[in-house]
């Protein structure tokens, strides 16, 4: 129910409602704590906005759990996201109590102080949860290698440079090819097993060897899911977690070392 909508993950869609409605309702309450004349209209309006924001926060929590089972979510973001609906519910209850008291011309200072503090906590908590979610998704963006600089050609198309070489001397292109030729046809499972720590992590996936050292602490599902695979064949684990998802497979290619060879 809280997994996907029209083929897209539901969690990012619901999160947009949370980060708008919850702070909006909380800020409205903060303003009303000092603006007495606006409470008659502002309080019920703020309570309605908070009710929608609180419902969205709970929906975001459940959809986040579904997303974590599918692609993995950072532990910090998952833990914070589990607390935010509780904070939103508390703020909603406090706001409703204040609204009911205000309707009976009872507006004690202590209630307004509690409302203001709870609203501030809700705003800060929403910002922290949103930041942790953005960090888990986009934190690794931009760390890929910079684009290669273009090199101006040394000769024009109309006047190609003529080169000669003796039969005993290899051409420049042959020399480059020899320099780039791998010393071995691939990597053995024994070699992979020697890289079995978080600081030096190689993994076999679908007969290909990958160096995931730089990805260990960036994995959205937590570093422990990668370190458990270091030095082993992680094909079954990767396929079981990401089967049918193209994004993880595409990201994996950035860490490819080469094919797996026989012992």
């Amino acid at each position: 129910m809280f997994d996907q909508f029209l083929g897209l993950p539901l969690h990012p869609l619901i999160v947009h409602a949370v980060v708008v409605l919850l702070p909006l309702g909380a800020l409205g309450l903060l303003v009303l704590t000092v603006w007495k004349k606006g409470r008659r209209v502002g309080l019920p309006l703020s309570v309605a906005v908070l009710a929608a924001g609180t419902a969205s926060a709970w929906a975001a929590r459940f959809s986040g759990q579904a997303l974590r089972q599918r692609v993995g979510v950072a532990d910090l973001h998952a833990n914070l996201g589990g607390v935010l609906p509780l904070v939103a519910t508390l703020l909603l209850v406090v706001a409703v109590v204040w609204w009911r008291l205000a309707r009976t011309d009872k507006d004690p200072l202590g209630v307004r102080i509690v409302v203001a503090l709870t609203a501030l906590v809700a705003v800060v908590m929403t910002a922290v949860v949103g930041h942790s979610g953005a960090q888990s998704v986009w934190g690794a963006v931009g760390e890929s290698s910079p684009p290669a600089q273009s090199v101006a050609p040394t000769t024009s198309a109309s006047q190609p440079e003529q080169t000669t070489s003796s039969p005993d001397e290899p051409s420049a292109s042959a020399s480059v090819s020899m320099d780039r030729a791998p010393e071995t046809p691939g990597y053995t499972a024994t070699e992979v097993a020697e890289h079995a720590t978080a600081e030096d992590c190689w993994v076999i996936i679908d007969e290909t060897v990958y160096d995931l050292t730089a990805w260990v602490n960036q994995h959205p599902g937590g570093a422990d899911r990668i370190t458990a695979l270091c030095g082993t064949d992680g094909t079954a684990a990767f396929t079981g977690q990401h089967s049918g998802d193209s994004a993880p497979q595409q990201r994996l290619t950035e860490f490819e070392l080469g094919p797996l060879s026989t012992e």
Side-chain angles (χ1 to χ4, degrees):
M1 178 179 179
F2 292 97
D3 189 6
Q4 292 186 337
F5 178 73
L6 297 178
L8 297 175
L10 188 59
H11 185 67
L13 303 177
I14 299 178
V15 164
H16 285 81
V18 179
V19 299
V20 172
L21 295 176
L22 196 54
L24 183 62
L27 291 175
L29 291 179
L30 285 173
V31 172
L32 293 174
T33 58
V34 295
W35 185 28
K36 186 175 181 179
K37 292 183 178 180
R39 292 171 193 165
R40 183 175 181 179
V41 176
L43 269 177
L45 181 60
S46 295
V47 168
V49 173
L50 278 176
T54 302
S56 299
W58 282 105
R61 178 181 180 179
F62 296 133
S63 63
Q65 292 173 348
L67 182 64
R68 188 179 190 184
Q69 293 177 357
R70 178 178 291 272
V71 299
V73 176
D75 292 337
L76 176 61
H77 178 62
N79 295 334
L80 292 174
V83 175
L84 183 59
L86 302 177
V87 175
T89 301
L90 176 61
L91 179 59
L92 179 59
V93 171
V94 171
V96 170
V97 171
W98 183 32
W99 178 29
R100 291 179 63 88
L101 290 174
R103 291 178 62 185
T104 59
D105 295 329
K106 295 180 181 179
D107 191 14
L109 177 61
V111 173
R112 279 182 283 148
I113 293 176
V114 172
V115 169
L117 292 177
T118 311
L120 284 173
V121 171
V123 172
V124 173
M125 192 68 184
T126 303
V128 171
V129 173
H131 176 74
S132 66
Q135 185 68 25
S136 66
V137 175
W138 301 105
V141 174
E143 296 183 4
S144 58
S145 58
Q149 298 180 351
S150 59
V151 180
T154 56
T155 58
S156 63
S158 58
Q159 294 180 345
E161 181 181 356
Q162 300 294 328
T163 59
T164 59
S165 60
S166 65
D168 297 333
E169 297 179 354
S171 64
S173 60
S175 177
V176 172
S177 299
M178 292 174 62
D179 291 341
R180 294 181 179 177
E183 297 179 358
T184 61
Y187 300 88
T188 65
T190 301
E191 290 177 299
V192 174
E194 296 174 355
H195 304 268
T197 65
E199 294 74 24
D200 184 17
C201 179
W202 288 15
V203 179
I204 302 169
I205 298 177
D206 289 332
E207 303 297 324
T208 303
V209 179
Y210 300 90
D211 183 356
L212 301 183
T213 306
W215 182 242
V216 170
N217 293 322
Q218 299 176 11
H219 184 246
D224 56 331
R225 298 197 178 188
I226 301 298
T227 55
L229 304 178
C230 295
T232 69
D233 190 328
T235 303
F238 181 84
T239 303
Q241 185 69 33
H242 302 296
S243 178
D245 294 333
S246 60
Q249 182 64 51
Q250 184 177 2
R251 188 62 190 270
L252 186 64
T253 59
E254 301 177 14
F255 307 99
E256 181 176 340
L257 290 177
L260 178 70
S261 66
T262 58
E263 297 287 350

